Amino acid sequence: MEQLKTIGRELAMGSQGGFGQSKEFLDLVKSIGEARSKAEEDRIVLSEIDILKRRLLEPDVPKRKMKEYIIRLVYIEMLGHDASFGYIHAVKMTHDDNLLLKRTGYLAVTLFLNEDHDLIILIVNTIQKDLRSDNYLVVCAALNAICRLINEETIPAVLPQVVDLLNHQKEAVRKKAIMALHRFHRKSPSSVSHLISNFRKRLCDNDPGVMGATLCPLFDLISEDVTSYKDLVSSFVSILKQVTERRLPKSYDYHQMPAPFIQIKLLKIMALLGSGDKSASEIMYMVLGDLFRKCDSSTNIGNAILYECIRCISCIIPNPKLLEAAADAISKFLKSDSHNLKYMGIDGLGRLIKISPDIAEQHQLAVIDCLEDPDDTLKRKTFELLYKMTKSSNVEVIVDRMIDYMISINDNHYKTEIASRCVELAEQFAPSNQWFIQIMNKVFEHAGDLVNIKVAHNLMRLIAEGFGEDDDDADSKLRLSAVESYLQIISEPKLPSLFLQVISWVLGEYGTADGKYSASYISGKLCDVADAYSSDETVKGYAVSALMKIYAFEIASGRKVDVLPECQSLIEELLASHSTDLQQRAYELQALLALDARAVESIIPLDASCEDIEVDKDLSFLNGYIQQAIESGAQPYISERERSGMFETTDYHSQDHHEVPSHALRFEAYELPKPSGPPQASTELVPVPEPSYYSEPHQPVSTSLVSERESTEIKLRLDGVKQKWGRPSYQSTTSASSTPQQAANGTTTHSDGGGGGAGSSSSKPRSSYESKKPEIDPEKQRLAASLFGGSSSSRTDRKSSSGGHKPGKGTASKPATIPKENPIPVQPPPDLLDFGEPTATTVTSTDPFKELEGLLDSSSQDGGSTDVMGLYSDAAPVTTSTSVDSLLSELSDSSKGNARTYQSQASKGPNSKEALEKDALVRQMGVNPTSQNPTLFKDLLG
C-alpha cells in the first residue's frame, strides 16, 4: 500500500513538472526566464539562495528532495552566483548507493569544484571504490569525475585502477579510461610515461569509439616526437581507408559522411608524420586522392574534411595531382556565397602559395572581392594572404592598402600587427629609401606608440648609414628628405612619443648638415617640441640632446652660437628639474657652451653616430696615478676574487684544527661566561692581541699559527668588559696566544683557496558553388594586375638578408624573413617513447596495419585480433599467440633505470656558508573607408 502511495506521489509530481521536479523549482525557472532585467534576475536568485540555505540545514532531508536541491544549486551556479554553501552536500551525494543520486552528485561536483579545491580529498576514496564497481555506469561516472577533478598529486592514487580498466569488457569504460590516461598525460607526463604503449594497443581495439579516442593522445605524443611514431604511418593510412570505404557502423555517420571527426583527426596526424618525409608522403597520396573524390562538398562537414585535406597537402611533400585537386577545392570555396567558405578558401590559398606561387594568379578577382568585403574577419584573412604573396613588384600597393586599413580600425592589438607587417614589408621590398621613410612616417603617425621601439632604432640607423655604399650624394639626399619631411610633420598636434624621439634625433644629427636650415631655426623647433610635450621626460631628453648636437656642430665649425631666449629658459628650467636625467643633460649642455672648438669636436664629432666606440675596460689611463699613490704608501687594489676567496687548508701546519675566518659565522656552541674580578680603572695602554675563533670549544689552536705574527698595535685594555654582539675586534681577549690579524683595513687577508591523384568528383556539387558569372569591373582588373602582376616569379624574390632594405646594403639591421609554418622537423634524440621494433613486427603488402601485431596482448579480452581490414566486420576475431610480456617488462626496467639515472643527477646548490662569509667580508671593507573605393588605385597605379 505504501509503495502505491509513493508511485502516486511521483506520478503527480511528474504531471506537474514533467521530469519529476517540484512545482516550486519549475516556477523558479519560469520566473528567471521572464525576468526583464539583470537586477530582477539577481533578486530572484538571491531569494532562492536564502531558501536553499535554510532547507539544507533541516535535519533528515529526503534524498529525493536533496537531489532537487543540488540541481537547483547547479542552476544558481550556472547563473553566476555563489553556491559554495552546498558543495559539501554534493560531495556527500557521491557516496550514495543509489545510481541516480550518485550520478547526480558526480555531475554536481564536476561543475562545482576544480582540481585544486579543498574538498577533492573527500572524493578520492569514493572514486577508488566506484572504479571497482560491477556496475559499469558507476565506473563511467567515476571516470568522468577523474577527467575533471584529479590533479597531479592524486594521480598515483587512481592510476593503477584506470590502467586495469583498459581491458574492461564494456567499450564505454575502455573509451573513458583512455580519456583519463590522456588527462593524466597532459597534467603530468612523467607519471604515465611508462604506459605509452597502451595507446598503441588500444589503436587496435575492436570498437571504433575506443580507437577514435586513442587518436587524441597519439596526436599529442606525435606532436612532441614525430620520429618515434613513423612506423605508424601505414597504420593510420589503413584506418583512414577503412573509414572512407564505410566499413564502420552506420551509427558513426554524420550527414551521410562516415566518421568525419575521426577522418579529421587522422588527417592532422598524417600532416605531422608526412612533413618533410617523402616516403611517408607517398604512402598518403592514394587515400588523399580518394578523399577529394568522395567528399560531398554540399555539406559543411564535407567541406571541413576537404579543408583538412588541403592543410595536410600543404604540410607533406605533395604531387602535382594533389595540388591540382586542392586548387579546385579552393576555387569552389572562393566562388561560394558563404563567408565561412570564402574564409577557408583564403586560408587554403595562403598555405598553397608557399608550395606553388602560381596558384594565386587563378584567383585574382576573388581575392580583390574578399579584400573589399564588409566582413572584417574575411578582410583580415585576405591581408594575411597579401602579406605572404608580397614581392618587390606589388609592395607599394599592398602596403598602402594595409596602412589605409590600419587607419580605419580601432583594435589596438590588430593595429599593432598590421603596423609590424607594414614595417617588415617596407624594409624587405622598398623600391627606394624615400618611399621607405614616407611609409615609416605614416606608420609612426597613425600607429603611435604601438610600434616596436626596435623599428625606431632601425629607422634611425638606416638614415645614419644611408645606402651602405660609397655614394655620399645619395646619402645626403636621403637625410635631407628625412629632415624636410620631419619639419613638416613636427608642427602637427599630438604626435606619438616614439615618433617624436625619432624626429628629435634626426633633426639634431642632420638638421644643419647641408646648410639649408640654420641652427636657430632647428633649435627653435626643438624647443617648441620640448614645451609642447613637457610631461614626457623622454621626449624632452631627446630634444635637449639634439640641441647639444646642434650647438656642438656650430662651435666645432667656428661659427658663433646664438642661444635663443626660449632655449635659454628651457635650460634654466631643466637645471632645477626633479628628473636627474634631464638635470644632467642641462648641465652638460651648459658646460658644452663654454668649451672651445677643439674640445667640442673631440666630445661630439660630426656624423659619428654609427662609429664604433673604443672602451678601455682596464682603465689603463689611470696607471700612472695608481703607481704614484702606491709609492706614497697606499695599499694596492685587492681583486674581487681575492676578497671573496676562502682560506686554503694547505696553508696550515695542522690538518686537524682549522682556523675559521674572523668574518665567518660560528656554528659551535657558545662558551660559558668566565667569572671576572672587580674592574680596575686604568688608563694604561698596552698591546692587546685580537682574538681568534676556535674550531672546537675550549680547544686552543696550534701554536705554530701563533708564532707566525705578533701584533704591536696599541689598543685599549678591555679585560672584564661584557661581550656584545658586533665585530670580533671588540670582544674581550681570552688568550694571549691568539693569532693576530694585520691588514690596513683591519681585516685579515689570505690567499685564495680556489674552487669553483585526384580525379573528377563522384558526386555533383549542389548550388552552393553555382553562381552567375558577374561582370568584371575594369578597376578591379587594374588592381589585380598591380597585385598579381609578374607573379610567375617565385617567392625567393624576397630578400633574406638582415641588412638594408635595398640590395647592396648590409649595415642596417632588418627583421628576419617570414618563417615557414611547416619547417622540416629536426631529428630529436631517441627516448623511451619509441616502442616500435621493426624486427619483431611483420609488415605485409596487403595489410600494413599488422605492424602493431606484436604489441597485442594475447590475454586481452577481445582475443587480440590483428586483422585491421576486418576489424569492424561481423567476422569472428582471430587469435594470435604473440605476447609482449617480455617486451613490456624490458621497457619498464629501462624506464626505471632511466628514472634512477635522472634522480642521481642532483643539482648542486651554492654553499650557504661561503656566501655568508663573502657577504660579511664585503660589509667590513666596505611603433577607411578608402579601402572599399576601387578608384583609389587610379593614382597608385598611374
Side-chain angles (χ1 to χ4, degrees):
M1 191 65 182
E2 290 295 327
Q3 293 178 353
L4 293 176
K5 290 181 179 180
T6 303
I7 294 174
R9 285 195 298 267
E10 291 179 352
L11 290 175
M13 188 68 67
S15 63
Q16 294 175 0
F19 296 97
Q21 306 301 331
S22 65
K23 186 176 182 301
E24 184 180 3
F25 176 63
L26 298 178
D27 290 341
L28 171 66
V29 177
K30 182 179 179 181
S31 60
I32 292 177
E34 294 175 352
R36 297 180 178 273
S37 64
K38 186 66 169 65
E40 183 180 355
E41 177 187 305
D42 292 342
R43 179 181 57 81
I44 297 172
V45 174
L46 292 176
S47 176
E48 179 67 16
I49 290 175
D50 294 337
I51 295 174
L52 289 175
K53 284 183 178 179
R54 293 194 305 268
R55 294 188 179 180
L56 288 174
L57 293 176
E58 296 177 357
D60 301 331
V61 179
K63 293 182 178 181
R64 179 177 54 83
K65 282 289 186 182
M66 182 60 70
K67 170 176 167 293
E68 180 181 321
Y69 294 158
I70 296 298
I71 295 175
R72 288 158 76 168
L73 287 173
V74 172
Y75 191 52
I76 291 172
E77 191 89 6
M78 291 170 63
L79 291 173
H81 294 265
D82 184 25
S84 58
F85 61 90
Y87 289 177
I88 188 63
H89 298 281
V91 173
K92 291 179 180 178
M93 189 168 287
T94 61
H95 303 161
D96 202 286
D97 294 333
N98 185 279
L99 177 61
L100 184 58
L101 296 178
K102 182 182 288 290
R103 297 184 68 181
T104 304
Y106 274 125
L107 173 64
V109 296
T110 54
L111 295 175
F112 288 156
L113 310 181
N114 57 70
E115 62 182 19
D116 297 324
H117 201 276
D118 295 337
L119 295 178
I120 293 297
I121 194 64
L122 302 178
I123 308 176
V124 175
N125 289 335
T126 305
I127 291 177
Q128 289 178 325
K129 180 175 67 68
D130 291 339
L131 288 177
R132 295 189 295 266
S133 176
D134 295 333
N135 191 338
Y136 79 97
L137 295 176
V138 175
V139 179
C140 289
L143 288 172
N144 287 337
I146 286 176
C147 293
R148 294 293 300 272
L149 301 178
I150 294 299
N151 52 29
E152 186 174 356
E153 288 76 15
T154 53
I155 286 177
V158 298
L159 180 59
Q161 294 172 291
V162 174
V163 175
D164 293 339
L165 292 175
L166 291 174
N167 298 319
H168 199 275
Q169 59 182 354
K170 286 291 185 177
E171 60 276 1
V173 176
R174 300 199 300 272
K175 177 180 178 180
K176 293 184 182 296
I178 288 290
M179 295 169 61
L181 283 180
H182 187 198
R183 161 80 175 188
F184 296 163
H185 178 264
R186 286 188 171 182
K187 297 299 295 184
S188 177
S190 60
S191 63
V192 294
S193 59
H194 59 291
L195 301 172
I196 300 302
S197 61
N198 288 277
F199 296 134
R200 289 176 173 252
K201 290 181 181 181
R202 291 303 104 194
L203 195 61
C204 304
D205 199 283
N206 285 337
D207 185 74
V210 179
M211 180 271 297
T214 310
L215 295 177
C216 296
L218 284 176
F219 176 77
D220 290 348
L221 292 170
I222 294 173
S223 300
E224 299 170 359
D225 183 15
V226 178
T227 308
S228 299
Y229 298 89
K230 287 289 187 177
D231 58 312
L232 294 180
V233 172
S234 57
S235 302
F236 290 124
V237 171
S238 177
I239 295 175
L240 183 57
K241 184 178 180 180
Q242 294 180 63
V243 175
T244 56
E245 290 175 354
R246 300 181 179 272
R247 301 186 61 178
L248 270 63
K250 285 289 185 181
S251 58
Y252 290 92
D253 288 2
Y254 179 77
H255 287 272
Q256 299 179 355
M257 287 296 298
F261 303 105
I262 294 179
Q263 292 188 49
I264 292 174
K265 183 62 70 174
L266 286 169
L267 287 169
K268 290 182 177 180
I269 294 176
M270 289 163 56
L272 294 175
L273 295 173
S275 178
D277 191 338
K278 184 174 179 60
S279 60
S281 301
E282 291 175 350
I283 302 175
M284 306 174 187
Y285 289 163
M286 182 176 297
V287 68
L288 289 175
D290 292 340
L291 281 175
F292 276 112
R293 290 192 299 268
K294 295 180 180 180
C295 280
D296 184 9
S297 59
S298 61
T299 61
N300 287 332
I301 193 64
N303 291 324
I305 296 177
L306 283 175
Y307 171 71
E308 203 61 47
C309 287
I310 295 173
R311 293 187 60 184
C312 181
I313 289 174
S314 65
C315 295
I316 67 174
I317 302 177
N319 61 5
K321 291 184 178 180
L322 287 180
L323 285 176
E324 183 181 353
D328 292 341
I330 290 175
S331 177
K332 294 178 182 179
F333 290 158
L334 294 175
K335 292 178 182 178
S336 174
D337 295 332
S338 171
H339 285 82
N340 295 331
L341 295 181
K342 286 183 178 179
Y343 185 92
M344 292 164 54
I346 293 293
D347 182 76
L349 188 60
R351 296 175 182 274
L352 289 186
I353 60 173
K354 297 181 300 181
I355 304 173
S356 178
D358 298 337
I359 294 180
E361 292 184 3
Q362 308 171 12
H363 311 287
Q364 299 179 17
L365 297 179
V367 173
I368 298 301
D369 291 338
C370 294
L371 194 62
E372 299 177 354
D373 196 281
D375 190 333
D376 197 58
T377 306
L378 181 59
K379 187 181 296 185
R380 294 184 181 186
K381 198 66 179 178
T382 308
F383 275 117
E384 292 182 12
L385 173 62
L386 295 179
Y387 168 75
K388 296 177 181 179
M389 54 184 289
T390 304
K391 49 184 176 292
S392 57
S393 60
N394 58 7
V395 61
E396 299 183 44
V397 178
I398 292 178
V399 171
D400 287 340
R401 291 301 295 261
M402 285 184 173
I403 292 178
D404 293 340
Y405 179 69
M406 181 184 66
I407 298 173
S408 64
I409 61 177
N410 296 320
D411 185 359
N412 288 338
H413 176 75
Y414 193 66
K415 183 178 288 189
T416 304
E417 185 177 352
I418 288 289
S420 63
R421 289 180 176 178
C422 290
V423 170
E424 182 179 350
L425 294 178
E427 289 179 342
Q428 294 181 5
F429 304 109
S432 65
N433 281 0
Q434 288 77 8
W435 179 87
F436 175 77
I437 292 177
Q438 293 175 3
I439 293 301
M440 292 297 102
N441 293 345
K442 290 182 181 180
V443 171
F444 279 116
E445 184 176 358
H446 298 292
D449 295 326
L450 301 175
V451 183
N452 194 319
I453 191 172
K454 293 182 179 180
V455 177
H457 294 164
N458 290 341
L459 176 59
M460 291 186 287
R461 186 169 183 175
L462 171 67
I463 295 175
E465 295 180 348
F467 286 92
E469 300 173 355
D470 297 335
D471 192 351
D472 295 337
D473 293 338
D475 295 344
S476 300
K477 291 180 181 179
L478 169 66
R479 295 160 185 166
L480 179 60
S481 174
V483 170
E484 291 176 345
S485 62
Y486 290 155
L487 287 175
Q488 295 175 1
I489 296 174
I490 199 172
S491 58
E492 296 183 4
K494 297 181 179 180
L495 290 174
S497 175
L498 187 61
F499 193 25
L500 287 169
Q501 296 172 23
V502 176
I503 292 176
S504 300
W505 185 87
V506 173
L507 293 181
E509 288 282 345
Y510 308 107
T512 60
D514 60 345
K516 183 176 181 179
Y517 300 100
S518 64
S520 300
Y521 178 75
I522 300 297
S523 60
K525 289 291 185 181
L526 291 172
C527 290
D528 294 342
V529 170
D531 292 338
Y533 300 89
S534 58
S535 60
D536 194 333
E537 295 184 357
T538 306
V539 173
K540 293 178 70 174
Y542 269 80
V544 174
S545 296
L547 287 172
M548 187 183 304
K549 295 176 185 177
I550 291 175
Y551 291 143
F553 298 157
E554 291 294 306
I555 295 174
S557 61
R559 292 189 291 267
K560 182 180 179 181
V561 176
D562 294 330
V563 181
L564 298 178
E566 53 267 30
C567 295
Q568 187 63 40
S569 61
L570 174 63
I571 296 173
E572 294 175 355
E573 176 189 350
L574 296 182
L575 287 174
S577 174
H578 293 288
S579 172
T580 57
D581 177 68
L582 293 178
Q583 193 178 101
Q584 179 180 350
R585 292 173 189 260
Y587 274 108
E588 290 175 354
L589 175 57
Q590 191 178 48
L592 182 139
L593 293 175
L595 297 177
D596 57 359
R598 181 179 178 182
V600 171
E601 186 178 3
S602 62
I603 296 173
I604 305 179
L606 180 64
D607 193 17
S609 58
C610 293
E611 294 183 2
D612 295 332
I613 300 176
E614 297 180 0
V615 179
D616 186 3
K617 296 182 179 180
D618 297 331
L619 304 179
S620 59
F621 58 90
L622 293 176
N623 289 342
Y625 172 79
I626 294 173
Q627 185 64 29
Q628 182 180 358
I630 292 177
E631 292 175 356
S632 301
Q635 293 293 327
Y637 172 73
I638 303 175
S639 65
E640 182 181 1
R641 182 172 179 267
E642 295 175 349
R643 292 197 304 270
S644 60
M646 298 294 294
F647 291 97
E648 290 185 356
T649 57
T650 57
D651 292 341
Y652 299 110
H653 298 283
S654 174
Q655 297 295 330
D656 298 329
H657 307 289
H658 296 162
E659 182 183 2
V660 182
S662 61
H663 59 270
L665 291 178
R666 300 180 63 181
F667 296 98
E668 67 272 9
Y670 289 109
E671 296 180 0
L672 295 176
K674 299 179 179 179
S676 60
Q680 299 178 0
S682 176
T683 59
E684 181 184 0
L685 298 177
V686 297
V688 178
E690 294 187 9
S692 62
Y693 294 142
Y694 299 101
S695 59
E696 294 180 8
H698 310 291
Q699 185 175 357
V701 296
S702 176
T703 57
S704 60
L705 292 175
V706 178
S707 60
E708 289 182 1
R709 296 184 300 229
E710 289 188 0
S711 174
T712 58
E713 183 180 358
I714 303 301
K715 296 188 178 182
L716 291 175
R717 181 188 296 275
L718 300 177
D719 290 344
V721 179
K722 185 178 180 180
Q723 183 175 354
K724 300 290 186 179
W725 287 103
R727 297 176 60 180
S729 61
Y730 294 100
Q731 297 177 1
S732 60
T733 179
T734 59
S735 175
S737 61
S738 300
T739 303
Q741 300 180 359
Q742 233 175 10
N745 52 7
T747 60
T748 303
T749 59
H750 298 272
S751 61
D752 189 6
S760 59
S761 176
S762 60
S763 60
K764 183 178 180 180
R766 299 184 185 176
S767 60
S768 60
Y769 299 126
E770 298 175 357
S771 59
K772 297 181 179 180
K773 184 177 181 181
E775 297 182 359
I776 301 175
D777 190 352
E779 294 297 332
K780 292 185 179 181
Q781 289 181 337
R782 297 179 61 183
L783 177 58
S786 62
L787 290 174
F788 300 91
S791 62
S792 60
S793 58
S794 63
R795 182 68 175 172
T796 57
D797 195 11
R798 176 168 294 192
K799 301 177 183 178
S800 60
S801 64
S802 59
H805 61 84
K806 286 200 64 176
K809 285 183 57 181
T811 53
S813 61
K814 306 298 177 185
T817 57
I818 305 171
K820 297 184 178 181
E821 296 183 3
N822 300 280
I824 299 177
V826 181
Q827 177 130 4
D831 55 19
L832 294 177
L833 292 180
D834 189 2
F835 290 96
E837 294 202 9
T839 58
T841 58
T842 304
V843 181
T844 62
S845 58
T846 58
D847 190 6
F849 191 60
K850 289 185 178 179
E851 290 177 344
L852 301 178
E853 181 178 0
L855 292 177
L856 291 177
D857 191 354
S858 61
S859 60
S860 60
Q861 190 272 341
D862 53 32
S865 176
T866 59
D867 187 7
V868 181
M869 299 296 293
L871 271 178
Y872 312 120
S873 62
D874 298 334
V878 181
T879 59
T880 181
S881 60
T882 305
S883 175
V884 292
D885 293 339
S886 59
L887 174 61
L888 293 179
S889 62
E890 292 176 1
L891 292 174
S892 176
D893 293 340
S894 61
S895 175
K896 294 178 181 177
N898 195 26
R900 289 193 295 268
T901 303
Y902 292 150
Q903 294 174 0
S904 64
Q905 297 176 354
S907 61
K908 297 184 179 179
N911 191 322
S912 59
K913 188 172 181 181
E914 286 186 10
L916 291 171
E917 293 172 352
K918 295 179 182 179
D919 192 22
L921 180 57
V922 171
R923 286 199 301 270
Q924 291 181 12
M925 298 183 61
V927 196
N928 179 354
T930 58
S931 65
Q932 300 179 11
N933 186 5
T935 60
L936 173 66
F937 296 95
K938 292 183 178 180
D939 298 333
L940 297 174
L941 302 176

